[in-house]
Structures are given as structure tokens and as C-alpha cells.
Amino acid sequence: MSEIQKAIIIGAGPAGLAAALRLHKHNNITCVIYELRDQPTTLGGAVGIMPNGLRLLDRLGVYDNLCARGYGGAMLTVHSATGNVLGAQDFVGWARSETGYGYLRIKRVDLVDVLLEAVRREGIEIKFGVRVTGVEDGIVRTESGDEKADLVLGCDGIHSFVRKSVVDPGFVGIYSGIAGSFSIVPASRLPPQSTDLMNGLHAMTTEEGMFMVNPCTTNKDEVMWGFSREVQLPESGKDGRDGWEETRKAEVEGFREYLFKVLAKASGEWGALVKDLVSNTSAINFYPVYRLPLGGRWYKDRCLLLGDAAHAMSPHAGQGTSMALEDVFLLSRLLEDSSRPLPQVFARFDEIRRPRVNEIYMQAVKNAGARKKTGPWGLWRNELIYSMYLNVSSALGLDKSGHGQKHLVYDIDEVEL
């Protein structure tokens, strides 16, 4: 029998909920989830999940329910600042043929809701409104008392209390220099047939950054737009590490006016669509992109960090959720060997995960470069590069040979332990 009989999981986001499901069902470990908020969070827009993550969600038993809520179009179409199509590519086509899984864009609140439903069906205990005040060798201290476990998992995100107070106090998130603004707009607010133009993920180059459009529900009845750009944060006051929502009329109208200037050159059907999206936006969410530097400790005593708490990266590789899921499944596999002491489990976890995390982290950093401010010549250069890459790749069949997609077929369950 394994020495791990009980786990306390701190954080009820996707990482924490997935960890509880996997350890409960696969390892027969009693799990208790602590969440600081009084109810499931509604923060966040829509997340993209790649084949390597979807495969693991299927093994958790929630794939079908997620697909019933999210949008699976995987054609990436890149538009110029004037709205012309520079090129298009199925960015998971080869990976789909290899794994059987494609791409899913789903509202974060729906992702959490599906995982939460599965957790509750399994009878896993979840405690909302619990503030953890300390963790020491398996004892979790809260304002209402202490609870002991054989394993403590910090799944509490980039600003993790567990990391900052227990595992690696000096290791903190840094601002990437890139910030995003987004909104989810009901398709009913748009002109008829607007969603016919949206057959996947659309990216639009501008001098100020990258404008993105993607349906995020199965029937395309809700559409998320996002604008990523370089932003200098205020030195004091509201720094928005967790983001904030602008709902006051003046704030929304001011940002819309800015976006209309950014999108001024856009014309044709696509130009009209993006302007309609902005016009029909009633609330704008702003979030500065923080990430953890590479390195840092991931474990101490009986405590292990998973997901963003351990290795938060920029979202520009579309792998945040999938990286957390890979963490969960690797830990589950390592715990199958009851003869392996917990320190050895953690050490081997670290040894296996570091190279994979570092690879995806650097890919995200590279992709973030397209969000940086540029002048007219820089924009012309970027558009030329996108056009050449997408069209040459299609002509030579590189997308069908796995070029740029091989990291999407990675299966953590096949890694040698």
C-alpha cells in the first residue's frame, strides 16, 4: 500500500481539480481541495487546449462534456492590417492525425465547471472560502484550524501562496512586458452571417500588437476577441496582476476608440467584422501577462507545486492548461510505485518535467514577439514573413509532415519513469 493515503490540494482551478480527479480515481488517494474564493472563479476569458492536453482530459473522463461546450475549429487564418488574408493553416492537422485529438477553445468558466461537476460526482471534498495561512511537513494551517495530509499540492497559480510562503519564497512572477485586453461578445449582437467568416482562429497584424478572434462555444454563439500588445504598467496603484474588468462607460468607450484607430486600415468583410466586434463590446477585461523565470524550486518536504504555481509561462504557446495536466499525470504515474519514497517521487518528477517545460516556455517567449509594437516597416516585414511561411509551408506540405507540431503529440504516459 502506498504511503500516500490523503492529499490536500490548494487551489480549485483546472490544475487543482484535475489533480484531485486523477489521484482519486487512478491512485485511490483521498483528496480535499481548498479554494480561497467563496465560489468558482469567473475570471478569465477562453483558453485553448492542444492535442496533448485534450488526450489527458479524455483519460480523465471529461472530454466529451468539454467538447459539448467549446469550439473545435483549428484553422489559423492570418490577416494583414488591411484585412487581407496572408495565409491559412490547420495548426494541429498532423497532430490530430497522430493522436486523434485536435484543438478546443473553451471559456475558462466552462472548463472549470465541467471539471467541478466531475469532482462532485466522485464525492471529492472541496472547501470554498478557505484561507491557507501556512504549510509545514504535510500540515496545512488555515484560519479555521489545521489539517494533516501525506501530500500537499500547490495548484494556486502564478502568485501561489504555497510557493511564496513554503517552497521557494524568493521566487516570484515577473511582468513579461505584454498585456492583453479581451471581451466575449454574443454573436446575436453581430450582423447576420458574421460567424460564417469565423472558421477557426483568426489573427490580425497591426503596428500596435496582435488582434485575435475566435469563437469559444460549440455553436459559435459567443465570440472572444483579444488584443495583445506592449504595455508599461503603472508604478503604483492598480497593477492588475490578476487582471481587472473595465465596465464604466468612459473606460470602455475610451479603449474602443483606441482600437478603432488601431484597426482603421481594416476593410472588406473582415474589417467590418472586427469593427462590429469592438462596437458591440460592453465590458473589456485587461490582464498583464506575468510569468515565472526558468528555474526555481518545485517541491519541499511533502509539498509539490503543479501548473502555473511551478512554471507559469506566457500564454502564447497555448499550452498553459496542457502543461498542468501533464504535471498531474506524471505525478500520478510516479505514485503508482508504493516503494518509491516521496522525496524520490518529487526528484524524479522534477528531472522529467524540466526539459519539457523549458522547451514550451521558450516557444511561448518566441511567439510573444509578434505582439510587440512596430512601425510601418516592421509591420510590412512581419506580414511578409507570415505570408511566406504560411504559403510556402502549404505548398511544400510541411504542415502535413509534422513541422511545428511535434510537441503536440507528446504523451506523458509514455515517458520512461
Side-chain angles (χ1 to χ4, degrees):
M1 180 175 292
S2 171
E3 66 169 306
I4 308 302
Q5 300 297 305
K6 179 180 179 180
I8 293 178
I9 299 168
I10 300 172
L17 295 170
L21 272 176
R22 180 64 178 179
L23 296 182
H24 170 85
K25 295 174 68 174
H26 186 77
N27 301 88
N28 198 29
I29 294 174
T30 299
C31 295
V32 181
I33 305 172
Y34 288 179
E35 169 55 45
L36 175 63
R37 294 180 176 89
D38 292 330
Q39 56 188 353
T41 176
T42 57
L43 291 174
V47 299
I49 308 177
M50 297 290 190
N52 53 308
L54 291 177
R55 173 162 47 194
L56 300 181
L57 288 166
D58 197 6
R59 291 172 185 168
L60 278 181
V62 297
Y63 176 75
D64 290 340
N65 287 340
L66 290 172
C67 290
R69 300 200 190 193
Y71 175 68
M75 181 63 68
L76 170 63
T77 304
V78 181
H79 301 261
S80 70
T82 59
N84 295 323
V85 174
L86 297 174
Q89 183 181 99
D90 183 345
F91 60 93
V92 298
W94 177 82
R96 185 191 298 108
S97 68
E98 294 291 312
T99 66
Y101 300 93
Y103 176 75
L104 188 70
R105 174 69 69 169
I106 185 169
K107 292 191 295 182
R108 188 181 188 279
V109 64
D110 285 340
L111 171 61
V112 170
D113 191 42
V114 168
L115 288 170
L116 189 59
E117 287 177 355
V119 163
R120 286 172 169 159
R121 281 197 303 270
E122 293 296 326
I124 299 170
E125 185 178 10
I126 179 167
K127 300 179 180 181
F128 287 100
V130 176
R131 180 178 295 277
V132 175
T133 59
V135 179
E136 184 178 356
D137 197 24
I139 299 175
V140 179
R141 306 189 187 284
T142 71
E143 294 174 339
S144 59
D146 299 345
E147 188 168 1
K148 185 173 177 57
D150 305 304
L151 171 67
V152 178
L153 299 178
C155 301
D156 48 345
I158 184 172
H159 306 299
S160 168
F161 170 84
V162 179
R163 185 188 67 251
K164 291 189 292 186
S165 64
V166 181
V167 177
D168 199 350
F171 205 67
V172 298
I174 56 174
Y175 177 48
S176 68
I178 303 294
S181 300
F182 70 88
S183 188
I184 295 178
V185 178
S188 59
R189 296 183 185 175
L190 303 174
Q193 287 78 52
S194 289
T195 54
D196 292 343
L197 298 175
M198 293 178 260
N199 59 343
L201 174 62
H202 293 260
M204 188 173 184
T205 60
T206 78
E207 291 184 29
E208 296 292 318
M210 183 75 74
F211 192 86
M212 310 287 289
V213 177
N214 200 186
C216 54
T217 54
T218 305
N219 298 321
K220 300 199 290 188
D221 52 2
E222 291 185 86
V223 180
M224 177 180 170
W225 66 257
F227 185 53
S228 297
R229 67 201 190 283
E230 285 187 284
V231 173
Q232 184 175 353
L233 295 183
E235 295 182 2
S236 60
K238 183 169 65 171
D239 71 0
R241 291 183 305 165
D242 296 313
W244 66 79
E245 184 180 63
E246 304 287 20
T247 56
R248 289 186 299 172
K249 185 177 180 180
E251 293 168 337
V252 174
E253 289 184 353
F255 191 77
R256 282 201 304 226
E257 183 178 350
Y258 163 71
L259 275 181
F260 283 135
K261 291 179 181 178
V262 171
L263 302 171
K265 297 178 182 178
S267 60
E269 286 186 316
W270 186 254
L273 173 61
V274 295
K275 291 172 184 176
D276 281 333
L277 278 169
V278 174
S279 295
N280 287 281
T281 294
S282 58
I284 295 173
N285 295 269
F286 173 83
Y287 67 99
V289 176
Y290 280 76
R291 64 188 181 210
L292 290 173
L294 290 175
R297 291 183 55 133
W298 290 354
Y299 61 91
K300 182 179 180 181
D301 299 328
R302 292 187 167 273
C303 187
L304 175 68
L305 303 175
L306 299 181
D308 282 353
H311 46 68
M313 59 186 68
S314 300
H316 305 117
Q319 284 283 353
T321 300
S322 298
M323 288 295 99
L325 290 166
E326 289 181 5
D327 287 353
V328 166
F329 274 73
L330 176 58
L331 174 63
S332 174
R333 288 186 65 204
L334 290 168
L335 290 174
E336 290 173 359
D337 183 356
S338 60
S339 66
R340 195 192 301 251
L342 198 56
Q344 290 185 17
V345 168
F346 289 168
R348 184 59 179 148
F349 176 94
D350 191 298
E351 184 180 12
I352 292 173
R353 287 301 287 156
R354 291 277 177 183
R356 169 71 169 170
V357 166
N358 291 352
E359 175 194 2
I360 303 302
Y361 184 101
M362 294 310 300
Q363 183 64 53
V365 170
K366 179 182 177 182
N367 293 350
R371 277 75 179 170
K372 292 184 177 180
K373 187 173 182 177
T374 184
W377 283 106
L379 177 62
W380 175 83
R381 180 198 62 212
N382 289 344
E383 291 182 349
L384 179 62
I385 291 172
Y386 281 123
S387 179
M388 291 181 62
Y389 173 79
L390 290 169
N391 289 292
V392 169
S393 176
S394 176
L396 297 180
L398 296 179
D399 54 330
K400 294 180 175 61
S401 64
H403 180 73
Q405 297 183 36
K406 292 186 178 178
H407 66 287
L408 303 179
V409 303
Y410 178 92
D411 189 347
I412 193 66
D413 280 349
E414 295 182 355
V415 173
E416 184 179 352
L417 300 183

